[in-house]
């Protein structure tokens, strides 16, 4: 079952602008992960944030996590055409030793040159 | 280079036919997963395996079967019982072995269509 839900479903921005997308989930988690998928390809892991962390950075990516609101955001700064892709959040089941992840439906980002 | 290899890239199934999708990894990961992705949607878990010779059903296992006889291989069979098999199938792996908070590594998928 899908636990994470991304918002918006689609986003179109100009190159150089920032892109922000949000993820909400329903139950407690150990960690939340963000993945990117280029058209017709597999998913690529971007960043993992643990439930006791509030913010994490990786290059032009910034992820926040608010466990009280059960939500996360992914910010891509200074976007490039190569950032055009679908972005998915994924959550595990908190308190479990299970490795399963539940993925949301994704946000499709288009970066216009 | 370590990674996950899925084959074939494209596959066509006839009515009443079983087809098998291959997934091989050389990352020495214990856990492996099969997902189905329909257009414009997220990933739905079909089956997963946390260790060799063991696997569990995911959210949409009906019409599918798997085996895990070797650590590096996790083939998925789409049986004739799966009435709507047209989709993009993704295989993934993670370290497993009791270590949560690990990312999953994905192959490049197999696109299955009905003839």
């Amino acid at each position: 079952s899908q636990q994470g839900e991304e918002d918006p479903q689609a986003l179109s921005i100009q190159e150089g602008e920032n892109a922000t997308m949000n993820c909400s989930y329903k139950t407690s988690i150990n960690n939340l992960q963000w993945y990117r998928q280029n058209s017709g390809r597999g998913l690529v892991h971007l960043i993992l944030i643990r439930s006791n962390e509030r913010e994490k950075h990786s290059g032009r990516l910034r992820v926040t996590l608010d466990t009280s609101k059960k939500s996360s955001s992914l910010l891509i700064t200074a976007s490039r055409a190569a950032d055009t892709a679908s972005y998915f959040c994924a959550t595990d089941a908190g308190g479990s030793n299970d490795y399963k992840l539940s993925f949301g439906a994704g946000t499709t980002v288009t970066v216009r040159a | 280079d370590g990674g996950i290899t899925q084959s074939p890239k494209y596959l066509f199934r006839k009515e009443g036919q079983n087809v098998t999708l291959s997934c091989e990894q050389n990352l020495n990961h214990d856990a492996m997963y099969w997902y189905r992705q329909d257009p414009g949607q997220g990933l739905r878990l079909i089956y997963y395996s946390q260790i060799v010779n063991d696997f569990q059903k995911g959210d949409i296992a009906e019409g599918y079967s798997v085996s895990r006889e070797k650590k590096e291989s996790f083939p998925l069979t789409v049986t004739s019982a799966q009435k709507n098999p047209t989709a993009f199938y993704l295989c993934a792996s993670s370290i497993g072995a009791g270590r949560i908070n690990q990312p999953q590594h994905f192959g490049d998928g197999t696109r299955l269509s009905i003839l």
Side-chain angles (χ1 to χ4, degrees), chain B residues 80-92:
Chain B
S80 56
Q82 172 49 244
K83 298 305 178 191
N84 183 23
T86 297
F88 190 47
Y89 291 86
L90 287 160
C91 179

Side-chain angles (χ1 to χ4, degrees), chain A residues 1-2 9 30-33 35 37-45 48-51 86 88 92 95-106, chain B residues 9 31 33 35 37 40-45 48-50 57-59 88 90 94-109 111:
Chain A
S1 59
Q2 285 187 331
Q9 286 187 329
N30 292 314
N31 70 80
L32 185 144
Q33 303 180 32
Y35 289 80
Q37 184 181 34
N38 291 94
S39 182
R41 304 294 299 273
L43 276 69
V44 173
H45 180 259
L48 181 153
I49 187 165
R50 297 171 193 246
S51 60
S86 293
F88 296 89
D92 69 346
S96 161
N97 288 327
D98 201 299
Y99 313 129
K100 289 190 300 181
L101 294 177
S102 294
F103 287 82
Chain B
K9 194 169 177 64
Y33 315 82
Y35 295 94
Q37 186 177 32
Q41 297 190 30
L43 278 63
R44 292 186 289 168
L45 184 64
Y48 66 105
S49 168
Q50 300 191 134
K57 292 181 179 179
D59 300 317
F88 190 47
L90 287 160
S94 66
I95 289 175
R99 293 176 61 184
I100 59 172
N101 295 326
Q102 295 296 326
Q104 291 186 9
H105 299 256
F106 284 80
D108 266 342
R111 192 167 298 279

Side-chain angles (χ1 to χ4, degrees), chain B residues 19-21 23 32-35 45-50 53-58 60-61 63-69 73-79 89 91:
Chain B
V19 292
T20 297
L21 284 60
C23 177
M32 296 187 74
Y33 315 82
W34 273 105
Y35 295 94
L45 184 64
I46 304 172
Y47 268 99
Y48 66 105
S49 168
Q50 300 191 134
N53 293 322
D54 187 44
F55 50 82
Q56 286 81 40
K57 292 181 179 179
I60 55 164
Y64 300 97
S65 66
V66 294
S67 63
R68 186 85 188 277
E69 296 175 1
S73 179
F74 192 38
L76 173 74
T77 297
V78 183
T79 75
Y89 291 86
C91 179

